[in-house]
Amino acid sequence: MTFSYPVITMATRDIQRQQHLKVFYRRAQELLLDDDRDYLHSVLKEYQQYKAIDRLVSQLCHVLDTPQKLDLLKEIRKLIPPQHLPHFDRLAPYHKMAHPIRPAVQHVKRAGTAPNNAMVNGHAGQF
């Protein structure tokens, strides 16, 4: 007897990513002016190239300067690779959002380190 398990393929991940991008672009269109969207695009391209989470979150806070705009963090978070989410979650000011989220704490196991519980109290790093 063989069992069939659902497999998440690259194609499935690509479809999910495309769906996340559509939602992100729509929300950015609703919340940001053209100059802010251009700046956000350049910030995300820079992150894609250098993978610098600290710089990404710092620059996001310049453009997402109201609680309503900070709601875009929910969509941006879905674009961050899983290995970078714990760091992103520690820094992102989710508590300042118009509709705050409490992402599940992600643990990346590293030899000799304890798990990060920075989001347990609902507050991430301050800027």
Side-chain angles (χ1 to χ4, degrees):
M1 175 183 270
T2 61
F3 293 97
S4 175
Y5 294 99
V7 177
I8 297 178
T9 64
M10 262 322 210
T12 303
R13 283 190 209 124
D14 289 344
I15 291 168
Q16 289 173 337
R17 183 168 175 77
Q18 290 301 318
Q19 290 170 339
H20 293 315
L21 282 169
K22 284 181 184 179
V23 172
F24 167 71
Y25 286 132
R26 188 188 78 240
R27 293 286 293 144
Q29 185 75 31
E30 294 169 358
L31 294 169
L32 302 175
L33 299 173
D34 288 341
D35 288 345
D36 288 341
R37 279 195 310 273
D38 290 345
Y39 178 74
L40 180 58
H41 182 258
S42 69
V43 165
L44 292 173
K45 281 186 77 160
E46 181 180 318
Y47 166 72
Q48 192 173 29
Q49 183 176 1
Y50 298 109
K51 304 293 190 240
I53 294 289
D54 294 327
R55 184 163 171 82
L56 170 67
V57 176
S58 176
Q59 291 175 325
L60 287 174
C61 287
H62 288 299
V63 70
L64 306 179
D65 56 0
T66 68
Q68 291 75 22
K69 290 178 184 179
L70 281 168
D71 280 353
L72 275 173
L73 288 173
K74 180 179 177 183
E75 277 69 47
I76 292 169
R77 185 181 189 279
K78 293 174 185 174
L79 304 175
I80 303 296
Q83 67 270 26
H84 292 172
L85 281 175
H87 193 183
F88 184 82
D89 287 344
R90 277 193 307 275
L91 299 175
Y94 297 125
H95 63 284
K96 293 182 179 181
M97 295 168 60
H99 303 94
I101 61 171
R102 291 184 64 167
V105 176
Q106 302 266 332
H107 300 292
V108 176
K109 291 190 177 193
R110 288 182 232 144
T113 62
N116 173 12
N117 292 321
M119 286 302 296
V120 171
N121 65 6
H123 297 284
Q126 298 285 327
F127 292 76

